[in-house]
Amino acid sequence: MKSFGKILLVCGFVIAAGAGISSGGTGMDIKTQAFGRLPDGTAVEVYSLTNEKGLEARIMTYGATLVSLEVPDRMGKAGDIVLGYESLDGYIKNSPYFGSIVGRYGNRIAKGKFILDGVTYTLAANNGENHLHGGIKGFDKVVWNAEPVREEGVAAIKFSYLSRDGEEGYPGNLAVVVIYSLSNDNELKISYEARTDKATPVNLTHHSYFNLAGEGDVLGHELMIASDAYTPVDSGLIPTGEIRPVMGTPFDFTSPHAIGERIAKVEGGYDHNFVLRKGGGELSRAALAAEPKSGRTMEITTTEPGLQFYSGNFLDGTITGKGGRVYSKHAGFCLETQHFPDSPNKPGFPSTILRPGRVYKSLTVHKFSTR
Ligand code: GLA
């Protein structure tokens, strides 16, 4: 085994600064490398988690962002199945939340306002008159602390960030921990925890754009969503408050359908929150996506009650990403496990309010396979 710079041994894993280090026997590996600097000079690192099945997840400290995910196809050929940039620069200049952790509140809060315990709070309006994905500088645009996790059988990185009282208009100091972990069962788990010192809305999610073929658009991907109802939206993509059955509509993914099959019947494309059958709490199946040519499949299980299915409608060919690929409309799709959009203004939706002394907990598992 060669040595490159600083090396730390953590529970059988080799944590190496630089490339070219392999672990002793577990088949799992964690490596770290410099990924660039923010304009203010802050250094950004990228961590690479690998397992013995040939999966590699690279996650950087800026936005706790998954920058690449190499997964073998049915022939065993690895391909990168998430959209993004090759270097930090692209993420800083123009990223529609490629692969990032989204917070303090994933998706929209109408007019950037909500009333909590009799107090009206005003958040940054960064999506027309609405608040989207945590505001102007959400959790996707901050540098997180990172440390490898000492746990048997997984390669994991723990990211933490303290969101200060008043940040983007939210009340309370919110301490957030997000752990990405990769197992030899080809599961990429993302777990979230948060604690606050004042009552605040919290709704954390992960915003990867998947393309299981690693090329082209995703209209031929087959998708199943474990949901019998969705939350219809107004022209600003704010839920009306109604919970509408999917049966007989293009939103019915209770059995697998190609994403492109009925998309023309959905104005603007899919960008909707699906109400998951299990209602949150226990870890249960949310979705299964399958790409026929590569044979790659991705199953998502979650403890969240909702799933935002976004079919990459705003991608318009103006972004050139990894490998020189132009990201046209529907080049990737997102499955964002979450509570429902605009819940702070919708008393009928499950509550997203975290109070002092309570712990926000959420878990989502992406399991990769082939058929
Ligand atoms: C989410 C939203 C979309 C869009 C994307 C980011 O999925 O629901 O409307 O804002 O994020 O471009």
Side-chain angles (χ1 to χ4, degrees):
M1 189 167 81
K2 284 194 221 153
S3 128
F4 292 80
K6 200 171 108 199
I7 298 177
L8 283 163
L9 254 178
V10 179
C11 248
F13 297 124
V14 177
I15 314 300
I21 310 291
S22 62
S23 70
T26 63
M28 314 211 71
D29 228 355
I30 307 173
K31 292 175 193 164
T32 177
Q33 262 186 325
F35 198 59
R37 283 183 188 275
L38 299 189
D40 71 3
T42 308
V44 172
E45 279 85 42
V46 66
Y47 286 82
S48 149
L49 309 179
T50 49
N51 74 1
E52 66 184 19
K53 305 278 171 49
L55 260 75
E56 182 189 28
R58 289 168 62 242
I59 308 139
M60 66 164 162
T61 53
Y62 179 75
T65 299
L66 180 66
V67 297
S68 66
L69 183 58
E70 294 275 340
V71 177
D73 66 9
R74 72 159 79 81
M75 306 305 286
K77 188 169 167 279
D80 186 359
I81 60 155
V82 293
L83 273 46
Y85 291 104
E86 246 139 55
S87 65
L88 179 61
D89 210 41
Y91 289 96
I92 294 171
K93 287 193 181 133
N94 178 24
S95 174
Y97 307 91
F98 283 145
S100 55
I101 293 299
V102 169
R104 191 179 290 203
Y105 198 96
N107 216 282
R108 293 173 178 79
I109 295 179
K111 300 190 173 69
K113 284 199 190 305
F114 62 93
I115 299 171
L116 177 54
D117 298 336
V119 179
T120 300
Y121 291 93
T122 303
L123 307 171
N126 61 324
N127 188 245
E129 59 176 3
N130 300 323
H131 177 85
L132 174 68
H133 290 336
I136 295 160
K137 191 175 177 186
F139 293 0
D140 58 301
K141 295 182 187 67
V142 300
V143 175
W144 295 61
N145 290 318
E147 54 177 293
V149 178
R150 296 156 191 272
E151 211 183 292
E152 261 318 295
V154 295
I157 303 289
K158 174 177 165 180
F159 291 95
S160 51
Y161 174 64
L162 177 65
S163 169
R164 296 278 179 193
D165 189 7
E167 192 177 281
E168 300 294 316
Y170 288 101
N173 291 295
L174 185 77
V176 187
V177 171
V178 175
I179 299 174
Y180 283 85
S181 80
L182 181 65
S183 72
N184 275 332
D185 297 335
N186 289 348
E187 288 187 344
L188 180 68
K189 289 189 190 180
I190 310 175
S191 71
Y192 308 79
E193 264 191 33
R195 291 173 170 81
T196 187
D197 58 6
K198 276 186 200 163
T200 179
V202 183
N203 191 29
L204 305 177
T205 191
H206 172 80
H207 208 294
S208 270
Y209 289 68
F210 294 98
N211 181 322
L212 300 180
E215 59 184 24
D217 66 43
V218 296
L219 298 177
H221 283 52
E222 282 172 8
L223 182 64
M224 192 285 298
I225 305 180
S227 159
D228 300 312
Y230 72 107
T231 52
V233 288
D234 68 16
S235 58
L237 296 173
I238 299 291
T240 59
E242 186 194 350
I243 293 186
R244 191 182 289 174
V246 296
M247 205 199 274
T249 77
F251 297 92
D252 187 347
F253 285 92
T254 52
S255 60
H257 286 272
I259 290 175
E261 187 187 322
R262 301 159 299 176
I263 198 168
K265 295 183 184 146
V266 181
E267 209 191 320
Y270 294 103
D271 194 354
H272 295 80
N273 169 66
F274 286 73
V275 177
L276 295 175
R277 220 169 259 154
K278 280 289 166 87
E282 70 187 85
L283 190 66
S284 40
R285 185 192 252 196
L288 178 66
E291 198 283 305
K293 274 185 258 156
S294 65
R296 291 190 188 94
T297 64
M298 174 176 71
E299 183 192 41
I300 294 186
T301 50
T302 187
T303 57
E304 286 298 306
L307 181 76
Q308 182 81 11
F309 167 38
Y310 169 57
S311 52
N313 316 321
F314 299 124
L315 298 172
D316 60 2
T318 52
I319 289 179
T320 301
K322 290 180 277 188
R325 259 179 72 203
V326 173
Y327 296 145
S328 306
K329 197 169 183 175
H330 312 311
F333 67 101
C334 304
L335 292 172
E336 303 154 63
T337 54
Q338 57 173 27
H339 274 56
F340 309 170
D342 201 31
S343 294
N345 295 308
K346 297 284 186 304
F349 289 176
S351 173
T352 51
I353 304 302
L354 178 69
R355 295 192 177 271
R358 305 298 298 263
V359 184
Y360 169 99
K361 282 191 183 181
S362 177
L363 173 65
T364 293
V365 182
H366 301 76
K367 188 174 172 75
F368 298 96
S369 187
T370 56
R371 57 160 77 140

